[in-house]
Amino acid sequence: MATPDTSTFTSSAQVFTAHTLPQIRAIHKSLHVQIDEKSARLRTQVGNSYRELLGTADTIVRMREDMLAAQDILAEMGGMCGRTVIGTKVAGLAKFRGREDVEASMSKVARVKLLNACGLAVGRLLKGGLEGKGDRLVLAAKVLVLKRLLVSSFGAVENLEADIRSAVEGARKTLNSLRRRLLRAVEKVLEKISDGVDRGDILKALTAYSLASSSGARDVLRHFLSVRAEAMTYEFDPEEHENERDTKSVLKGLDLYTRTLLDVQALVPNKLSDALLRLKKQHLLADESLQGLEGLRLDIYDKWCGDEIQYFTPFIRHDDLDGKQAREMLTNWATKGGEILLQGLRRTLEHVSEFKAIVDLRTSILHHWIKDGGKARGFDPSVMLNGLRETIDDRLLYILEMKVAKLKLVGSEVTATLEAWQPGTTDQHRSLWDEEMLDMDVSGGANQVTHEVISLLYGRNDAVARVVTSYESWHHLIDSVGDLINQLKRQRWDNDVEEIEDEDVIAARQKLLSKDDPELLQKKLDETISKAFKELNEHLTTAWKSKLDSVDNGPISMYFLRILRDIRSRLPKLESIKSFGLENVPSLHEKLASHVSISPLEEFASTALTRRRVAGRALWEGEPALPSQPSPGTFKLLRNLIMAMGDAGLDLWTPAAVNVLKQSFGRQLVEVWRKELTSKASDDQGADGANEEKTPAQDSSSPTEDEKVSKSDEQTPGGNPEKSKDIYIQWLYDIHLLQQCLGADASSEESFKAFVEEVFKKTELESSAKDRLAKASQDYWKRTSLLFELLA
């Protein structure tokens, strides 16, 4: 059942008349609910209105207080605007304006004094030693910045007083000089890589440069790399180090290169950016180090500096350089720096001519690079290592070639000797038993005596000694070069024990430096030695051929033989030069043999072969009677030949030289003897015809000749044919003896055999007699060969 709407009722009677009891009860309940809702809304509305009333009341109270305060202020202002008060104010204002002018004047004076103090402080800071150098440079840069601000604070100097204007102008002039001094001091710190300057000082020096030049991190790094590059160039500058080109300069340049790579990687970009950022964290005058500088007296002068100076903060770009840009800049610098280093090394090596000095320099440089070159991250140390070794190897090869080429001085010495050749002077040969040798002072020791004796035995007169000395000097140089190359082969190129390297890297480096490079040098040495000896051989051959037909070719051949012997005795052990000088030896021996043989043969031909009788004919033995000893002329021939050989020098007579002498002497002897044989035969025929036509007057004119012949030989009165026959028999004996002396090679020649047969036919002896003569000459040679030892 629905509840009736109570809003339509106009009176209570309508409720009871038109509705049932349940409906009445429902209407009664609905009315109670409506009454409760309206009561609640009324209470809420009344509460809200009360709070608004309280707020309005508070506002009215505050407005009243403000009105009373405003009235008090207006009353006070009215009292202060009186005539007396205004007059007092005007007088006080006038006094205040006068005091501002005084303070401005005092501010200028204070800033001038601070300006002068800044100049003195910068000078003192820059004059300090190495201890705390980085801190002093930063402090000097801050003082310099303060001085620059002080100079700028005065503005135009035309409106200043005379004394202040002169002080400001002077400070402005000295500002640039102090800045240059500061930058030079910074450069000195950046250039140094000694133990006295650590990486912290370098960072502080870079910070000082940034302050002094208002440079950002990029410009600071660029300046640092530029200073290091100039320092490397300076180390190799010939004008700066004209008398000091040594290992130290090269090693210092190498240290600059390696330390720059390590310093940049350690400082950039993080540490450098942080250091620059710290400069911007506080005002300049608030810096504790600047306030602690006694000469500035900032505790007094800072309040006169003005707001622009008091609140000045350095503005420096600390974030304009990142890691990628730093790596690019360092890589570009490393490339250019490597070129500077290699060019400087090349220029330095151009002034070093000693092979050992370059080898020692190579050892120092490569050990230095192996120790420090691999520490830089991102750089292959083998690139610079190859550049260093190639540069040094090029110089070593050039020096090696120049030293080997000095062998031509031996040829030049020979040529000079031949051009100034004076017979009897240049070829003068002293004897071992000369008075000068016997009177020699032996107090110098056995070495001097031994040297003199060996020189005399080997015929080393002044001309030969000069060549030998020149060659020995050259040989000593080459031996020292060979020893140094062997030293390179024995070197070890391990890194410091604290470093851990790959075994393959160490093995490759060891092979490169201790095998490939020495092999390259040894190959070049062998090639240049072979070429030098070939040129020397050609030079000596040309020199000998130019003197081959000269009058003095005999003494000159002795000279050449001696120098060839001494050179060949110390030839380098190379297959290509084993035959050095041998092609000229046969012709030299020929001229030597001809020279030695001339005098004995001439004397033999003029004295022995012209005899017309046989000395010692009565001593012949056997049937038929045959000689048992040589004629005096033949014995003297052999003796003269031995003496001539001894006068030429015992050192010349090698087996080959003796064989050539025997052959040459045999040929010349046959020619001389055959000539005399032919002339004797013609003389015998002429003598027979003359005997048949001889007159008694002619017979009486030569009694002395017949007497001499009859006394010496018991012959028939006819005499001449028998006499010639005895001479031929003696000649045949002498020839057999000479065959024993000259050996089979000389006596087996066809000319010699033919001559023997000719003489044998002249003797008209039987073959058995010839065999007896040969046997007798052989026995005689066995008994007397030691008298002619050089020919035996």
Side-chain angles (χ1 to χ4, degrees):
M1 179 179 63
T3 302
D5 186 9
T6 58
S7 61
T8 59
F9 295 147
T10 57
S11 65
S12 59
Q14 293 179 354
V15 174
F16 293 102
T17 59
H19 298 88
T20 63
L21 181 61
Q23 288 179 338
I24 293 171
R25 289 177 178 171
I27 291 171
H28 177 267
K29 186 177 180 179
S30 175
L31 288 175
H32 276 283
V33 170
Q34 291 178 6
I35 291 171
D36 291 337
E37 289 177 356
K38 288 181 181 181
S39 296
R41 284 199 300 269
L42 180 60
R43 285 195 298 271
T44 301
Q45 186 176 1
V46 172
N48 291 337
S49 298
Y50 182 73
R51 283 193 293 272
E52 290 178 0
L53 178 62
L54 292 178
T56 302
D58 291 338
T59 302
I60 293 172
V61 172
R62 285 197 300 273
M63 289 177 61
R64 182 179 179 183
E65 292 177 352
D66 292 339
M67 288 290 293
L68 292 175
Q71 289 178 358
D72 293 339
I73 291 171
L74 290 174
E76 184 178 357
M77 290 180 62
M80 294 173 63
C81 291
R83 178 181 297 178
T84 304
V85 175
I86 294 299
T88 304
K89 295 282 187 182
V90 171
L93 180 61
K95 292 180 181 180
F96 180 76
R97 288 181 177 176
R99 188 179 297 122
E100 282 186 348
D101 294 337
V102 173
E103 289 179 354
S105 177
M106 291 180 64
S107 175
K108 292 179 180 179
V109 173
R111 281 181 288 160
V112 168
K113 290 185 178 182
L114 183 58
L115 195 60
N116 296 331
C118 288
L120 296 176
V122 173
R124 285 196 302 269
L125 290 171
L126 295 179
K127 287 181 181 179
L130 288 177
E131 185 178 357
K133 185 73 173 179
D135 294 329
R136 285 187 287 102
L137 288 176
V138 174
L139 184 55
K142 293 177 180 179
V143 176
L144 189 67
V145 172
L146 177 59
K147 182 173 183 178
R148 186 178 64 207
L149 293 173
L150 291 172
V151 171
S152 301
S153 66
F154 285 99
V157 297
E158 292 79 5
N159 300 326
L160 300 176
E161 293 82 354
D163 55 346
I164 296 178
R165 183 170 61 250
S166 62
V168 173
E169 290 177 350
R172 186 170 293 172
K173 292 178 181 179
T174 59
L175 182 63
N176 292 329
S177 64
L178 289 175
R179 182 175 179 273
R180 288 192 296 269
R181 285 181 60 188
L182 175 62
L183 295 180
R184 183 56 193 152
V186 169
E187 291 178 359
K188 286 183 178 180
V189 174
L190 299 180
E191 291 172 356
K192 291 184 179 298
I193 55 173
S194 60
D195 296 335
V197 178
D198 57 9
R199 197 163 288 163
D201 289 334
I202 294 177
L203 179 61
K204 293 173 182 177
L206 294 176
T207 304
Y209 172 80
S210 176
L211 271 176
S213 60
S214 300
S215 301
R218 178 191 290 270
D219 294 333
V220 169
L221 177 59
R222 184 181 294 110
H223 177 72
F224 176 60
L225 296 176
S226 175
V227 170
R228 285 293 175 88
E230 291 177 359
M232 291 174 58
T233 305
Y234 173 83
E235 290 299 327
F236 299 111
D237 191 350
E239 297 180 356
E240 300 292 341
H241 297 272
E242 183 175 358
N243 299 324
E244 299 180 2
R245 285 183 172 272
D246 53 7
T247 308
K248 294 182 180 179
S249 298
V250 179
L251 293 181
K252 188 174 180 181
L254 189 60
D255 279 338
L256 283 169
Y257 181 80
T258 55
R259 284 289 295 273
T260 301
L261 299 180
L262 297 175
D263 290 343
V264 171
Q265 290 183 345
L267 300 179
V268 177
N270 297 329
K271 291 185 178 181
L272 179 61
S273 298
D274 293 342
L276 298 182
L277 180 61
R278 283 194 294 270
L279 297 176
K280 303 163 58 175
K281 286 186 176 181
Q282 60 182 356
H283 303 311
L284 180 64
L285 292 184
D287 186 79
E288 295 180 357
S289 60
L290 202 62
Q291 291 179 350
L293 202 59
E294 295 183 0
L296 297 183
R297 301 296 301 275
L298 289 179
D299 55 340
I300 298 176
Y301 296 132
D302 60 348
K303 62 182 180 182
W304 303 103
C305 291
D307 294 342
E308 293 181 356
I309 299 176
Q310 287 183 0
Y311 299 107
F312 173 80
T313 300
F315 177 75
I316 299 172
R317 289 291 304 275
H318 69 283
D319 54 354
D320 61 342
L321 180 66
D322 57 16
K324 182 179 179 181
Q325 294 173 340
R327 283 192 296 272
E328 292 178 356
M329 294 176 66
L330 184 59
T331 302
N332 295 333
W333 182 90
T335 303
K336 296 179 181 178
E339 294 175 357
I340 293 174
L341 181 63
L342 295 179
Q343 291 176 1
L345 176 60
R346 193 174 293 111
R347 288 196 299 269
T348 301
L349 292 176
E350 289 176 356
H351 296 268
V352 182
S353 58
E354 291 298 328
F355 197 87
K356 185 178 186 305
I358 299 179
V359 170
D360 293 340
L361 181 62
R362 175 183 183 269
T363 303
S364 301
I365 290 176
L366 296 184
H367 271 305
H368 214 69
W369 177 253
I370 291 172
K371 178 183 177 182
D372 297 331
K375 295 180 179 179
R377 300 183 304 274
F379 293 93
D380 185 4
S382 62
V383 176
M384 179 57 67
L385 181 67
N386 290 330
L388 292 173
R389 55 172 288 271
E390 288 174 1
T391 301
I392 297 173
D393 286 349
D394 290 342
R395 183 60 181 175
L396 285 175
L397 292 174
Y398 176 79
I399 294 296
L400 187 147
E401 188 173 356
M402 291 298 102
K403 287 186 178 296
V404 174
K406 289 183 178 180
L407 184 62
K408 66 182 179 182
L409 297 178
V410 177
S412 301
E413 186 64 41
V414 173
T415 303
T417 301
L418 295 179
E419 291 176 352
W421 190 274
Q422 295 180 359
T425 302
T426 307
D427 57 344
Q428 184 179 6
H429 178 64
R430 291 191 301 147
S431 172
L432 184 62
W433 309 108
D434 286 346
E435 293 183 0
E436 182 180 352
M437 180 62 187
L438 296 176
D439 295 338
M440 183 180 63
D441 184 14
V442 297
S443 61
N447 291 334
Q448 180 181 358
V449 178
T450 304
H451 176 74
E452 289 295 331
V453 171
I454 292 176
S455 296
L456 293 176
L457 286 177
Y458 282 89
R460 291 175 185 164
N461 55 12
D462 292 340
V464 177
R466 287 195 296 269
V467 177
V468 173
T469 302
S470 177
Y471 178 75
E472 287 179 348
S473 300
W474 176 87
H475 197 277
H476 178 71
L477 286 176
I478 300 306
D479 283 345
S480 63
V481 170
D483 293 340
L484 290 172
I485 292 176
N486 292 330
Q487 176 185 332
L488 293 180
K489 295 179 181 179
R490 295 190 300 268
Q491 283 183 334
R492 300 293 302 172
W493 299 98
D494 297 336
N495 200 348
D496 194 343
V497 294
E498 297 180 357
E499 296 291 335
I500 299 176
E501 282 188 306
D502 188 19
E503 291 294 334
D504 295 337
V505 175
I506 297 177
R509 184 172 62 221
Q510 184 69 27
K511 179 179 180 297
L512 185 67
L513 299 179
S514 293
K515 183 179 179 181
D516 295 348
D517 287 353
E519 287 180 354
L520 174 66
L521 295 175
Q522 187 65 51
K523 181 180 178 181
K524 182 67 174 180
L525 178 63
D526 296 343
E527 291 176 354
T528 51
I529 287 178
S530 299
K531 180 181 178 183
F533 270 97
K534 181 180 179 181
E535 294 176 353
L536 178 61
N537 190 34
E538 294 174 353
H539 183 89
L540 294 179
T541 301
T542 304
W544 167 238
K545 289 182 178 179
S546 66
K547 298 293 182 179
L548 193 60
D549 299 326
S550 67
V551 180
D552 301 318
N553 56 13
I556 292 176
S557 67
M558 301 178 199
Y559 172 71
F560 272 96
L561 284 171
R562 287 188 170 108
I563 62 177
L564 285 177
R565 177 199 63 211
D566 287 334
I567 291 176
R568 286 187 56 79
S569 66
R570 298 190 64 185
L571 279 179
K573 296 179 180 179
L574 294 177
E575 190 69 28
S576 59
I577 62 175
K578 284 186 176 181
S579 61
F580 170 77
L582 294 181
E583 62 183 16
N584 296 319
V585 172
S587 61
L588 292 172
H589 282 163
E590 286 287 346
K591 294 303 178 182
L592 172 62
S594 300
H595 175 74
V596 171
S597 303
I598 288 175
S599 179
L601 287 174
E602 289 179 350
E603 184 176 351
F604 179 70
S606 61
T607 58
L609 295 181
T610 56
R611 290 179 180 273
R612 292 295 180 261
R613 63 185 180 85
V614 177
R617 175 64 179 79
L619 300 176
W620 288 17
E621 302 173 347
E623 183 61 33
L626 296 175
S628 60
Q629 60 184 10
S631 63
T634 302
F635 188 88
K636 190 174 182 180
L637 171 64
L638 294 177
R639 180 183 179 278
N640 289 341
L641 181 60
I642 292 297
M643 294 300 294
M645 293 171 68
D647 292 339
L650 300 178
D651 59 296
L652 296 173
W653 301 110
T654 61
V658 173
N659 288 334
V660 173
L661 172 65
K662 289 179 178 180
Q663 295 176 10
S664 176
F665 181 76
R667 289 192 296 268
Q668 297 180 57
L669 180 63
V670 169
E671 292 176 2
V672 172
W673 219 326
R674 176 176 280 115
K675 183 178 179 182
E676 184 62 28
L677 179 63
T678 304
S679 64
K680 183 173 284 293
S682 62
D683 289 344
D684 291 343
Q685 294 176 2
D688 292 340
N691 288 334
E692 294 177 356
E693 299 173 357
K694 190 188 301 181
T695 60
Q698 291 172 334
D699 292 340
S700 61
S701 64
S702 58
T704 307
E705 182 74 20
D706 293 338
E707 291 175 2
K708 291 181 178 178
V709 174
S710 62
K711 289 180 182 179
S712 61
D713 303 298
E714 297 176 358
Q715 296 179 0
T716 60
N720 280 339
E722 189 67 25
K723 177 184 68 176
S724 296
K725 182 179 178 181
D726 291 342
I727 291 176
Y728 292 144
I729 293 173
Q730 183 64 55
W731 281 7
L732 185 59
Y733 179 90
D734 292 342
I735 291 172
H736 281 296
L737 180 62
L738 290 172
Q739 280 183 319
Q740 297 294 327
C741 175
L742 298 180
D745 293 338
S747 60
S748 63
E749 294 186 2
E750 294 298 328
S751 60
F752 202 95
K753 291 180 179 180
F755 175 67
V756 173
E757 290 299 326
E758 291 178 13
V759 176
F760 176 67
K761 291 178 181 180
K762 294 289 184 180
T763 61
E764 299 178 359
L765 295 174
E766 297 179 355
S767 298
S768 60
K770 180 182 178 183
D771 295 338
R772 283 176 55 197
L773 286 175
K775 183 69 170 61
S777 63
Q778 184 177 3
D779 294 339
Y780 184 83
W781 178 249
K782 289 180 179 180
R783 295 193 304 268
T784 60
S785 60
L786 292 180
L787 297 175
F788 314 103
E789 183 63 26
L790 288 176
L791 294 173

